[in-house]
Amino acid sequence: MTVPEMFGCKVFDDRQMRARLSAEVYASLKETIDNGKKLDLSVANSVAQAMCAWATENGATHFTHWFQPMTGITAEKHDGFISPAPNGGVIMEFSGKELIQGEPDASSFPSGGLRATFEARGYTAWDPTSYAFLKENTLCIPTAFCSYGGEALDKKTPLLRSMEALNRQAMRILKLFGNEDVKRVITSVGPEQEYFLVDREMYLKRKDLVYTGRTLFGAMPPKGQELEDHYFGAIKPRVQAFMEDLNEELWKLGILAKTEHNEVAPAQHELAPIYTTTNVATDHNQLTMEIMKKVARKHGLACLLHEKPFAGVNGSGKHNNWSMATNTGMNLLNPGDTPAENAQFLLFLVAVIKAVDEYQDLLRLSVATAGNDHRLGANEAPPAVISIFLGDELNAILEAVEKDEPYAGTEKKRIRLGADVLPRFNRDTTDRNRTSPFAFTGNKFEFRMVGSSNSIACANIMTNASVAEALRQFADVLEGAEDFDAALHELLRDTIRAHKRIIFNGNGYDDAWIKEAEEERGLLNLRTTPDALSRLVDRKNIDMLLRHRIYSEAEVHSRYEIQLENYIRTVRIEALTMVDMAQKDILPAVMAYGSDLAAAIGRKKAVSADIAAGYETRLVGRLDDLTDRIDAAAAALNDAVKELDAISDFVAQGDFTRDDIIPKMAALRSVCDEAETLTAASYWPFPTYGDLLFGV
Ligand code: ADP
Ligand code: MG
């Protein structure tokens, strides 16, 4: 099969719809997809029939409503197409009702108090804007997931609401600039996905990788990433075979996998798709992560999506490239060629700047997980402080606007925005700042704080919501203005003045920057998940999310609870895994080595009383001391987990996890890693960092 033939062959996409639906049904469905028109049941019935025919022709026997509960992964429950026929046989059947709505038992999914236990039912509702696809023998229908009371129990519903909110507000602005032909504004996303590949046999020998997705122990090997020889390096044959297979699987699902390369750390790689509509990109990213794991297995590999699988080398993130475009194809973040377009562009640009400054906390907490805390708060890129990179040229233009000064890039005219004298400027292609958490890269913003295992839904919900709010305030001012040009000019200038503290074009990894950000600029530095999450329920944030109908108040609280509980549970599992490995694997190994050494000392001394066996004796002493310390550290951690379990309030549990459990984990790790460096390799109970990082 050629790539064009293969592409989307497992998707009930526009080509299939066109071919299999009557002209009226197709037109009606298209109205629903493009403009959100309500779907009527007769149309749904026809679509369901066509979908079923297509799916069964392609070997499907089951269908499922595929959804994204708040766990951050995807869920599915399979139903057969079979239905008894009068002649004793069966027919394959699928109704419009089954397509539009499903009723999974919601009781086993986290609801953060949203679903009373007596009301266990939830329902799933078809998202016709994301195509149905085939996974093995199952037709998967992308859906939203709600409680019976109508509260969103998933990540897709608020994501769709946030896209709608942004559309509403951006349309108000576009009207003011006279864009009569525009019907909708759509946000697009291209998420770059980083991951590690390790040998599967080795992976299975490490309980920490199996239970938690990251190494909880491991001394640094002599070689890490210091030679910088892995980034963009030649791809090894085994990895190459994996990537080829992965691309094919993704293409079949209509996922535009485009770029692949080695990343900075050994065994680290990246895959980037071509961008698409935000909710589709989110569905596709979930599928990409799932398929990466599946394909890796086939190649005798394990794919690690954790943000920090290895201490001491780079962690993995997901760069969320985000932009807004009209249904007519105009990218609102594309600096245009004519002054009028430039004014409109600048307004949208400044809206993002204002949004990111005012809702730093929401953006930060949208990516807050136990795993991601190892990147953001630690000595790693990007920092937990949010700032925006604009590049030199844009920066100079904004400065000129702010100060009402001539822009040096043009013939020294005073800039009056909205008026016809705004300078032309080209996209900034010079500096590609890699350290900025929120970087303008020519015609889009790249949010780099998203963790590699995160669903991108939350980051985009908060981005869309914050920008919608900034646009709403702009529209309120401009719609009431008597002199539009003057009002626009003032609005841009005042907004830049108020929010320029968030713009930073320097090195984001620099300690001096963190100090400046916190002390001089008053920017937030929310290093840990509990620190960040508590801001979700700040009045200012709840009010904004309510105003744009992205969450209800109860939904906001439920997210707080679920995300914090997820943090606590994740760390708790890690702590227990550490205790288990220390007691059952590491201590016995160190002891076995020590006792063999002791036996060797005995044998040597039996040869002659003059033999000192100094090396062995010293080593036995050190190992003996270490086993005591490992034992004590493991016991302390184990006790701390018991203490954690005795706390009833989830906020207090979160604080205790951060302040007590995590430091005790670090203490246990440090003694165990020291023991690893002293224990003979043949005694060490699991593959080392060197084995894992350089073993493929
Ligand atoms: P880099 O590594 O230099 O950031 P990549 O090519 O790896 O570049 O990733 C860029 C990502 O940005 C791709 O997923 C691409 O499709 C996406 N992208 C490009 N233009 C837009 C846009 N207008 N809106 C959203 N995403 C975009
Ligand atoms: Mg990038």
Side-chain angles (χ1 to χ4, degrees):
M1 244 198 285
T2 64
V3 176
E5 280 167 354
M6 182 188 303
F7 190 83
C9 68
K10 291 185 171 183
V11 186
F12 190 74
D13 60 13
D14 194 65
R15 294 173 297 183
Q16 293 299 334
M17 292 178 189
R18 234 180 243 278
R20 288 171 184 265
L21 299 171
S22 72
E24 304 86 78
V25 170
Y26 175 79
S28 171
L29 179 61
K30 211 53 190 139
E31 264 299 295
T32 303
I33 293 174
D34 294 342
N35 300 318
K37 196 197 105 203
K38 203 170 155 20
L39 194 85
D40 64 64
L41 193 59
S42 72
V43 172
N45 276 327
S46 306
V47 177
Q49 236 172 35
M51 257 189 204
C52 178
W54 169 79
T56 50
E57 278 166 32
N58 285 285
T61 53
H62 289 68
F63 70 92
T64 182
H65 276 200
W66 184 77
F67 57 101
Q68 297 167 30
M70 293 184 277
T71 50
I73 51 171
T74 60
E76 47 197 81
K77 176 189 149 213
H78 298 181
D79 269 307
F81 284 122
I82 56 166
S83 170
N87 63 4
V90 292
I91 50 166
M92 302 301 257
E93 227 177 34
F94 185 47
S95 70
K97 213 172 142 266
E98 287 171 307
L99 167 63
I100 295 178
Q101 189 164 327
E103 281 193 25
D105 183 345
S107 59
S108 302
F109 295 104
S111 81
L114 277 182
R115 172 189 28 72
T117 34
F118 61 84
E119 191 50 283
R121 282 183 313 169
Y123 67 90
T124 47
W126 180 31
D127 169 13
T129 61
S130 182
Y131 296 136
F133 57 92
L134 285 175
K135 214 163 75 180
E136 317 298 342
N137 63 350
T138 303
L139 170 68
C140 297
I141 299 151
T143 54
F145 179 43
C146 299
S147 78
Y148 238 76
E151 289 101 346
L153 290 173
D154 67 348
K155 293 183 186 254
K156 171 167 271 195
T157 309
L159 180 64
L160 292 169
R161 291 174 185 160
S162 75
M163 291 166 70
E164 196 43 52
L166 188 125
N167 168 49
R168 269 196 302 272
Q169 303 305 332
M171 285 300 292
R172 291 175 65 194
I173 300 286
L174 288 176
K175 258 214 185 76
L176 291 167
F177 281 91
N179 299 276
E180 297 302 336
D181 54 333
V182 174
K183 287 212 170 63
R184 274 184 89 72
V185 172
I186 303 133
T187 58
S188 305
V189 166
E192 302 162 52
Q193 176 74 49
E194 291 181 335
Y195 60 98
F196 279 81
L197 285 178
V198 298
D199 183 81
R200 186 166 170 78
E201 294 287 311
M202 292 188 202
Y203 164 88
L204 289 172
K205 288 190 182 126
R206 292 202 54 136
K207 287 181 212 160
D208 47 3
L209 287 180
V210 172
Y211 294 150
T212 74
R214 73 176 179 109
T215 55
L216 299 168
F217 299 103
M220 277 310 290
K223 176 177 160 119
Q225 64 189 41
E226 50 281 272
L227 292 181
E228 298 178 333
D229 51 355
H230 194 255
Y231 190 57
F232 284 17
I235 298 171
K236 290 181 186 159
R238 209 166 150 202
V239 174
Q240 184 62 40
F242 159 85
M243 286 179 172
E244 278 167 21
D245 215 0
L246 174 64
N247 282 337
E248 287 192 6
E249 289 302 314
L250 295 175
W251 290 336
K252 283 181 196 165
L253 285 166
I255 297 172
L256 292 153
K258 170 98 172 149
T259 316
E260 57 193 24
H261 60 79
N262 285 353
E263 262 300 331
V264 174
Q268 193 185 29
H269 312 279
E270 180 186 294
L271 178 139
I274 297 172
Y275 69 98
T276 180
T277 313
T278 305
N279 64 320
V280 176
T282 306
D283 287 356
H284 281 180
N285 184 250
Q286 293 295 136
L287 276 174
T288 300
M289 292 193 284
E290 185 181 324
I291 289 165
M292 279 179 164
K293 295 199 155 190
K294 204 169 84 183
V295 173
R297 210 185 163 118
K298 236 175 79 186
H299 289 261
L301 298 165
C303 173
L304 307 178
L305 292 170
H306 195 281
E307 285 74 20
K308 193 70 182 172
F310 301 98
V313 298
N314 276 11
S316 299
K318 186 140 53 188
H319 292 176
N320 191 80
N321 293 275
W322 176 93
S323 68
M324 314 172 251
T326 63
N327 66 310
T328 53
M330 166 173 50
N331 179 350
L332 300 175
L333 293 176
N334 201 0
D337 289 330
T338 68
E341 274 173 8
N342 273 345
Q344 181 183 301
F345 158 74
L346 275 184
L347 190 65
F348 279 102
L349 180 79
V350 163
V352 178
I353 293 170
K354 173 180 161 72
V356 173
D357 186 29
E358 283 180 346
Y359 296 99
Q360 294 163 48
D361 46 1
L362 287 184
L363 288 169
R364 166 66 183 93
L365 70 88
S366 75
V367 298
T369 60
N372 217 9
D373 280 2
H374 296 286
R375 300 172 59 228
L376 311 175
N379 253 342
E380 182 148 359
V385 176
I386 298 197
S387 63
I388 292 183
F389 166 82
L390 287 180
D392 294 339
E393 185 166 21
L394 264 188
N395 210 46
I397 288 175
L398 291 196
E399 256 171 36
V401 174
E402 180 211 340
K403 298 190 179 120
D404 264 334
E405 273 174 3
Y407 169 57
T410 67
E411 33 331 331
K412 302 278 172 201
K413 264 192 214 161
R414 221 183 176 69
I415 299 174
R416 289 246 340 145
L417 290 158
D420 45 3
V421 291
L422 190 70
R424 293 178 62 143
F425 51 88
N426 300 317
R427 302 204 208 174
D428 198 320
T429 44
T430 50
D431 188 1
R432 303 275 268 124
N433 184 312
R434 294 262 153 202
T435 64
S436 176
F438 210 99
F440 184 72
T441 47
N443 60 355
K444 61 188 182 338
F445 276 97
E446 186 167 334
F447 183 34
R448 300 190 175 123
M449 287 171 113
V450 187
S452 48
S453 70
N454 286 177
S455 156
I456 59 171
C458 298
N460 286 297
I461 292 168
M462 294 311 181
T463 307
N464 293 343
S466 317
V467 175
E469 171 61 15
L471 293 173
R472 179 191 73 86
Q473 292 182 23
F474 286 0
D476 282 355
V477 171
L478 295 176
E479 280 167 358
E482 272 172 25
D483 176 348
F484 178 75
D485 284 357
L488 176 64
H489 178 71
E490 226 172 84
L491 180 64
L492 284 171
R493 188 197 57 210
D494 294 350
T495 310
I496 296 167
R497 278 187 191 159
H499 299 290
K500 65 176 177 186
R501 63 169 187 166
I502 198 80
I503 299 169
F504 175 63
N505 292 301
N507 180 1
Y509 301 177
D510 202 339
D511 284 341
W513 158 240
I514 303 297
K515 205 163 132 54
E516 178 188 331
E518 281 187 284
E519 290 170 16
E520 284 160 43
R521 303 199 186 200
L523 298 178
L524 291 171
N525 185 11
L526 304 167
R527 297 181 73 100
T528 68
T529 297
D531 297 346
L533 276 181
S534 63
R535 318 265 315 197
L536 180 56
V537 291
D538 272 8
R539 203 61 247 170
K540 128 186 175 275
N541 291 333
I542 296 185
D543 284 347
M544 186 276 277
L545 293 165
L546 254 57
R547 181 176 306 124
H548 293 279
R549 300 196 290 273
I550 288 157
Y551 289 115
S552 69
E553 182 133 10
E555 286 171 350
V556 174
H557 283 279
S558 76
R559 264 73 189 169
Y560 178 31
E561 191 175 325
I562 288 170
Q563 221 178 319
L564 191 53
E565 266 178 1
N566 190 286
Y567 168 85
I568 297 160
R569 287 175 191 171
T570 302
V571 177
R572 188 177 179 279
I573 292 169
E574 290 178 346
L576 291 177
T577 304
M578 287 188 87
V579 172
D580 185 277
M581 289 173 78
Q583 291 178 339
K584 294 191 190 146
D585 300 324
I586 296 174
L587 280 174
V590 180
M591 253 170 39
Y593 183 46
S595 86
D596 281 1
L597 278 173
I601 295 169
R603 282 196 299 274
K604 275 194 177 178
K605 293 209 162 166
V607 173
S608 153
D610 294 338
I611 293 180
Y615 157 68
E616 295 91 331
T617 309
R618 279 194 306 278
L619 187 52
V620 170
R622 287 172 76 185
L623 290 175
D624 189 56
D625 172 51
L626 274 171
T627 46
D628 281 350
R629 282 159 59 203
I630 293 171
D631 175 49
L637 181 56
N638 204 28
D639 289 345
V641 173
K642 285 191 189 128
E643 220 177 306
L644 171 72
D645 292 346
I647 301 173
S648 53
D649 170 54
F650 74 93
V651 176
Q653 274 195 330
D655 291 347
F656 186 81
T657 300
R658 177 196 57 207
D659 300 334
D660 203 279
I661 305 270
I662 289 178
K664 289 197 167 107
M665 286 166 62
L668 176 57
R669 176 177 185 145
S670 126
V671 272
C672 289
D673 288 358
E674 195 181 333
E676 185 188 331
T677 62
L678 294 179
T679 305
S682 57
Y683 287 76
W684 200 248
F686 34 73
T688 63
Y689 265 37
D691 299 334
L692 288 163
L693 287 170
F694 299 98
V696 171

